[in-house]
Amino acid sequence: MFARLALITTLLTTGAASADNDSLFTLGLGTAVGVNRSTPLGGTAETTFTTELSLKIKALYVFGFEFSYAPTDKVDEASPLVFDSTYRLSGLLYLVPTSPVSFYLKGGLGGGTLEDVFAIDKATTNYHAGAGFDIEAGDNLVIGLEYLLLIPGVAGVRDTLSTYANEEIKRYQSRDENKAEPVSTASAGTPAISDFISPENFRVTVSARWYF
């Protein structure tokens, strides 16, 4: 029993004393640049430049936790569907935790404010899921390439469907009353699954991270 405790203590101490990107527990500070691409409901695709600062914690070689801040991502609360996020909270699973190249899956929540990140039904809350590669450029420096699928939050989807349903009810009521059919304010037409979940709504970034 004491031998096992001593072994665990030794491993943790060793990892903390010489932490790098291959340590049992490690902390990384990083920055990233890339592009966001999304299509507003009924609109045309929009591509914007993005920058990011992030803090990543890796544990037991295969698990990761990341908090990121993207000051250049402008979140439009008036938009029915919000894809971009100023703040993101993500979990990572390294399926291939090898050296010098590793592969991981990533998913989490985002929002225009910190409050929205920790909720599931706020106005700017949205989701992301994707994958990425980490390439070691030294004991502490890692270069990354990442793709994230951007998905609007529950509130945006609910409001979009509710608006469409209300307008359809008005049209049917007007038709039954033999009145002129009202002009719909939902110029996007009938919402489809691809309006909410589509590989064309994405974020691609290249990052550099230093592990301590």
Side-chain angles (χ1 to χ4, degrees), residues 26-169:
T26 184
L27 173 69
L29 295 177
T31 183
V33 295
V35 294
N36 291 342
R37 187 180 188 276
S38 60
T39 304
L41 192 65
T44 57
E46 299 177 353
T47 302
T48 57
F49 173 77
T50 182
T51 60
E52 180 182 278
L53 300 174
S54 62
L55 173 68
K56 180 186 287 188
I57 299 173
K58 291 175 62 178
L60 304 176
Y61 303 114
V62 296
F63 300 109
F65 170 84
E66 182 177 292
F67 176 76
S68 60
Y69 169 61
T72 54
D73 286 15
K74 304 301 181 183
V75 178
D76 183 7
E77 296 187 18
S79 175
L81 298 177
V82 176
F83 293 93
D84 294 338
S85 302
T86 304
Y87 303 93
R88 284 188 175 85
L89 191 64
S90 312
L92 297 89
L93 177 63
Y94 282 80
L95 296 181
V96 186
T98 54
S99 178
V101 179
S102 58
F103 172 77
Y104 62 85
L105 299 180
K106 179 178 179 179
L109 296 169
T113 66
L114 282 174
E115 179 184 359
D116 287 5
V117 173
F118 294 95
I120 61 172
D121 60 350
K122 295 294 186 179
T124 68
T125 301
N126 54 70
Y127 318 110
H128 55 272
F133 290 94
D134 280 345
I135 304 172
E136 296 178 7
D139 290 338
N140 300 84
L141 180 63
V142 171
I143 305 299
L145 176 63
E146 183 176 272
Y147 167 90
L148 294 179
L149 178 70
L150 304 179
I151 305 170
V154 171
V157 175
R158 179 189 61 219
D159 292 346
T160 297
L161 296 177
S162 177
T163 299
Y164 173 76
N166 290 335
E167 292 187 347
E168 286 299 299
I169 292 173

Side-chain angles (χ1 to χ4, degrees), residues 14-27 139-140 211-212:
T14 302
S18 58
D20 56 28
N21 57 285
D22 281 331
S23 297
L24 191 63
F25 295 93
T26 184
L27 173 69
D139 290 338
N140 300 84
Y211 283 94
F212 297 91

Side-chain angles (χ1 to χ4, degrees), residues 192-198 201:
I193 293 179
S194 59
D195 291 321
F196 309 122
I197 303 177
S198 169
N201 299 322

